[in-house]
Amino acid sequence: MLSLPAAAREEMRRDAAGLPGSDPGTERVLPALLAWLSRAQDLSASADGGVARDFSLLHGWSSSYPETTGYIAPTLFEYARRTGDAALRERALRMTDWLVSIQLASGAFQGGKIDSTPVVPVTFNTGQILLGLAAAEVETGRYREPMRRAADWLVQTQDSDGCWRKHQSPFAAHGDKEYETHVAWALFEAARIDPDRGYGEAGLSNVRWALGSLASNGWFARCCLDDPERPLTHTIGYALRGVLEAHRFKPNPELLAAAQRTADGLLAAMRDDGYLPGRLAADWSAAADWACLTGTAQIAHCWLMLFKLTGRQEYRQAAGLACRFLRRTVHLDGPLDQRGGVKGSFPVNGAYGRFQYLSWGAKFLADVLMLESN
């Protein structure tokens, strides 16, 4: 520990002391999250208009991450609509313009950071960037062609059973991934713009494939970057959101019931203070002694969606506890590079994004706080 930078040692000390007793509230935390995301764009090591993957207490700011830049843009568009912040809207358009500039000839996008190798087309990353392109098309009407190219590629490369196997990420373990229902969501967004190109059907086909092996307790068996036996709440959150978005796209009681099975398993996994273990086992028991803050935010968002769909108060209550826990992990003072950022893990030395503040963590927390405040 003595070899760690002073900032990393200090953050470990703060986390070991426990979270603050008081909740700073959404009114303070939400603007801080957007300010941190703006800083992540400005200070990306590649200085290209994309958003840095992370700020590390060990290594500083990373280069831009196309995948998360893709789905950060819709968050900025939404916050700009709510607040009238034209500068944030322009930031989102700079993000999507950069993404268009790096789109591969096939219409797909690479995995990893912009300077990662190999540069190969990847299904999941293309889907997440498609979310940004679709949002930018709705916002401006200027992104139809790159949006179609990405969506067409996803449809063309999908297997007949609905799974995507041909273009997996070189930065994740090989194998089928049920969390790619989050790619299906992107196709639903494209289908709302272009309803006659098969995008919605392809997305629903993937969700049906993913639910084909869903356990009776709502467990996804193939739902992690690297450890299907102990998946991250982050990837479980991806999978659950995709199922909910399928129901939102084409309402179906079977889809809603499947989503509730998974959501109810997650309810059982959360502590009374809003802490959710960062990895879970197939009986929904803890498989890690740290929280994945991104996953907690994603799951809280899904609980709120389910509350609005079903009226079940336990979903709203669980989401509220999770949001309170998350807000208390965000620093609103201190070093600018940490202020408003969301750590990969709590405590900061947990295994997910160790000693890092992650761009997608700030995005997903901003999303759920906006939904909670509706």
Side-chain angles (χ1 to χ4, degrees):
M1 178 175 171
L2 292 177
S3 64
L4 291 172
R9 295 199 306 272
E10 172 61 15
E11 196 60 25
M12 284 182 65
R13 184 198 65 77
R14 290 179 71 161
D15 285 357
L19 293 178
S22 61
D23 176 1
T26 291
E27 296 78 5
R28 297 181 64 202
V29 172
L30 184 54
L33 295 168
L34 274 296
W36 187 93
L37 286 169
S38 298
R39 190 170 179 82
Q41 183 181 34
D42 292 342
L43 297 182
S44 166
S46 49
D48 46 23
V51 179
R53 177 191 182 278
D54 62 86
F55 172 75
S56 168
L57 293 170
L58 308 183
H59 308 296
W61 288 99
S62 78
S63 56
S64 295
Y65 199 23
E67 173 199 328
T68 60
T69 299
Y71 61 38
I72 286 167
T75 300
L76 268 62
F77 285 135
E78 174 64 19
Y79 190 78
R81 281 192 292 271
R82 287 169 174 249
T83 62
D85 190 332
L88 274 182
R89 181 180 183 274
E90 289 306 309
R91 282 188 176 278
L93 292 173
R94 277 170 43 210
M95 293 175 193
T96 47
D97 286 345
W98 173 67
L99 292 167
V100 170
S101 77
I102 64 168
Q103 190 169 23
L104 302 176
S106 63
F109 290 87
Q110 70 182 77
K113 295 180 291 184
I114 190 59
D115 50 2
S116 297
T117 55
V119 177
V120 294
V122 177
T123 297
F124 189 77
N125 301 64
T126 301
Q128 308 324 293
I129 293 166
L130 177 56
L131 287 167
L133 296 176
E137 171 61 18
V138 169
E139 190 73 20
T140 69
R142 301 200 307 261
Y143 293 82
R144 183 72 60 97
E145 190 268 339
M147 184 203 77
R148 282 179 171 174
R149 291 177 60 217
D152 287 347
W153 182 83
L154 288 170
V155 172
Q156 292 159 8
T157 57
Q158 187 179 39
D159 289 352
S160 60
D161 63 354
C163 182
W164 282 284
R165 298 184 178 89
K166 298 181 182 71
H167 297 282
Q168 299 188 6
S169 174
F171 308 107
H174 189 76
D176 295 354
K177 300 290 193 293
E178 290 157 345
Y179 61 75
E180 289 190 337
T181 59
H182 216 260
V183 176
W185 172 23
L187 285 170
F188 302 144
E189 296 303 324
R192 291 185 169 99
I193 298 166
D194 266 332
D196 299 321
R197 296 176 72 90
Y199 302 151
E201 292 80 359
L204 290 169
S205 177
N206 175 257
V207 173
R208 286 193 295 269
W209 167 80
L211 293 179
S213 58
L214 190 71
S216 59
N217 70 344
W219 182 255
F220 287 97
R222 296 168 291 186
C223 194
C224 196
L225 297 168
D226 55 8
D227 188 352
E229 299 296 318
R230 303 180 317 121
L232 292 158
T233 52
H234 172 44
T235 45
I236 297 171
Y238 275 147
L240 178 56
R241 180 67 180 272
V243 177
L244 283 168
E245 292 294 343
H247 175 72
R248 194 167 72 88
F249 178 71
K250 191 171 184 179
N252 181 314
E254 292 183 2
L255 291 173
L256 183 59
Q260 288 190 82
R261 280 154 56 193
T262 301
D264 290 351
L266 290 160
L267 286 176
M270 192 179 70
R271 293 190 327 209
D272 291 343
D273 64 353
Y275 171 96
L276 191 64
R279 289 187 182 272
L280 296 167
D283 62 356
W284 298 108
S285 62
D289 60 0
W290 42 267
C292 170
L293 299 180
T294 302
T296 302
Q298 291 170 268
I299 289 161
H301 196 287
C302 291
W303 281 331
L304 280 176
M305 290 178 71
L306 278 165
F307 166 66
K308 292 175 185 295
L309 287 166
T310 69
R312 284 179 55 186
Q313 289 295 324
E314 55 264 50
Y315 292 137
R316 184 183 63 81
Q317 292 161 1
L321 288 171
C323 287
R324 182 176 185 274
F325 179 90
L326 290 163
R327 285 190 295 263
R328 291 158 64 214
T329 70
V330 177
H331 300 320
L332 299 177
D333 53 18
L336 284 174
D337 292 334
Q338 296 168 248
R339 192 183 305 176
V342 174
K343 289 173 282 199
S345 296
F346 182 85
V348 70
N349 58 325
Y352 184 72
R354 181 175 278 127
F355 293 115
Q356 295 172 356
Y357 293 77
L358 303 176
S359 60
W360 58 102
K363 173 263 185 328
F364 282 114
L365 181 51
D367 286 347
V368 71
L369 293 184
M370 285 192 282
L371 183 61
E372 187 187 35
S373 62
N374 275 355

